[in-house]
Amino acid sequence: MKAIPKILFPVEAREECSIALNECIEIAKHYSSVIHLVHVIPRHLPQAKEIERFVRARMATYVRRIESAELPAPVWQIERGVPFARLLQYAESRDIQLTVLSTVEKRGRPLLPVSAEKIIRRSKRPVWVASNGSSLPLERILCAVDTSKHAAGALQSAILLGQTFGIPLQIMYVIPTMESAYPGLDRQIRQDVRQEMEATFDAFLGRFDLSAVSWTTSLHEGDPAEEVVREAK
């Protein structure tokens, strides 16, 4: 398996972040990784010194939890700026191999904060989202693709995670239902569309080196969002 010497864990004041640290620690235990704890105070916020004092206290509790897990001493830092941008810059400058993000619980559902979404979209390195209720070890990685540039980045990260953790990778492709979008469309045309989209998917997969990971593909037809949620369950 690929080593993960350094893990970035963005620190937030939310309880979900504290819970997500447990998963980050479990990942770090597999590889004796050094966890980098970083909090970015938005530049526009007043009372920066008071906020920093509060964050330092939270950092101290996280440091103690990491040390009690018999991991290497963590690195911690408080910065100011645009949170997602500073975190991406930190990951690049410190050669971070993995970033672990927490979610936000709203109405009992885990949601991604705006900064987390931007990190996932722009990060050049794998990102792990720790949701309440999730646990290690994982049984599989599901990567739904649509052959776009963003999908290519997602699949590359999924391949790296699969290699790193030795987890099977399932690559999912959903063909939209033509009948609902174009009722009455000739059946032969619908079949031709499906065949062309399958060929596009095959060509897309041909761009990636999948030799170092156990992988399968699954083709679905229907509403992409609904199919992905159904398969993930």
Side-chain angles (χ1 to χ4, degrees):
M1 293 184 186
K2 190 175 181 180
I4 306 179
K6 289 177 278 189
I7 298 174
L8 172 60
F9 185 78
V11 173
E12 302 290 344
R14 295 175 281 102
E15 179 60 25
E16 295 92 340
C17 184
S18 177
I19 296 172
L21 181 62
N22 295 329
E23 196 158 320
C24 183
I25 288 172
E26 287 302 311
I27 297 171
K29 283 181 178 179
H30 281 75
Y31 307 99
S32 297
S33 309
V34 175
I35 298 176
H36 289 240
L37 302 169
V38 180
H39 178 82
V40 180
I41 301 173
R43 187 179 290 113
H44 67 274
L45 284 183
Q47 302 294 323
K49 289 185 178 179
E50 287 72 15
I51 293 173
E52 182 172 337
R53 189 178 302 113
F54 173 83
V55 173
R56 282 178 178 270
R58 178 60 60 93
M59 286 277 199
T61 65
Y62 285 8
V63 168
R64 288 194 293 271
R65 287 169 59 184
I66 293 169
E67 291 176 341
S68 67
E70 300 183 350
L71 286 168
V75 176
W76 65 273
Q77 189 164 325
I78 299 174
E79 300 194 2
R80 295 206 72 181
V82 180
F84 84 89
R86 293 298 300 142
L87 290 167
L88 287 171
Q89 291 169 5
Y90 186 95
E92 285 295 315
S93 65
R94 300 297 183 96
D95 192 26
I96 298 292
Q97 286 75 39
L98 178 70
T99 298
V100 176
L101 300 175
S102 61
T103 58
V104 175
E105 287 287 328
K106 288 189 177 180
R107 299 186 181 92
R109 297 179 57 191
L111 299 174
L112 282 173
V114 174
S115 291
E117 290 185 1
K118 291 180 178 179
I119 290 172
I120 291 170
R121 288 184 177 276
R122 304 187 189 194
S123 176
K124 298 177 181 178
R125 302 159 190 268
V127 176
W128 185 294
V129 178
S131 177
N132 284 0
S134 62
S135 61
L136 295 171
L138 301 181
E139 296 181 357
R140 65 168 175 151
I141 297 172
L142 176 64
C143 182
V145 300
D146 60 5
T147 75
S148 66
K149 180 178 69 173
H150 292 304
L155 180 54
Q156 192 60 58
S157 291
I159 292 170
L160 289 173
L161 287 173
Q163 290 178 253
T164 300
F165 296 100
I167 304 170
L169 169 63
Q170 177 184 345
I171 306 169
M172 179 180 178
Y173 184 62
V174 182
I175 299 173
T177 304
M178 298 299 295
E179 182 61 32
S180 60
Y182 300 96
L185 184 66
D186 184 78
R187 181 179 179 183
Q188 184 59 51
I189 296 177
R190 296 202 307 269
Q191 291 177 345
D192 290 344
V193 168
R194 181 182 176 90
Q195 289 176 357
E196 288 187 28
M197 293 190 72
E198 288 179 2
T200 300
F201 176 51
D202 289 339
F204 176 79
L205 291 181
R207 295 159 47 189
F208 299 89
D209 180 6
L210 293 157
S211 60
V213 64
S214 173
W215 62 283
T216 58
T217 61
S218 60
L219 284 170
H220 300 249
E221 186 169 345
D223 177 83
E226 292 178 359
E227 291 298 315
V228 170
V229 171
R230 186 179 295 114
E231 185 66 22
K233 290 180 178 179

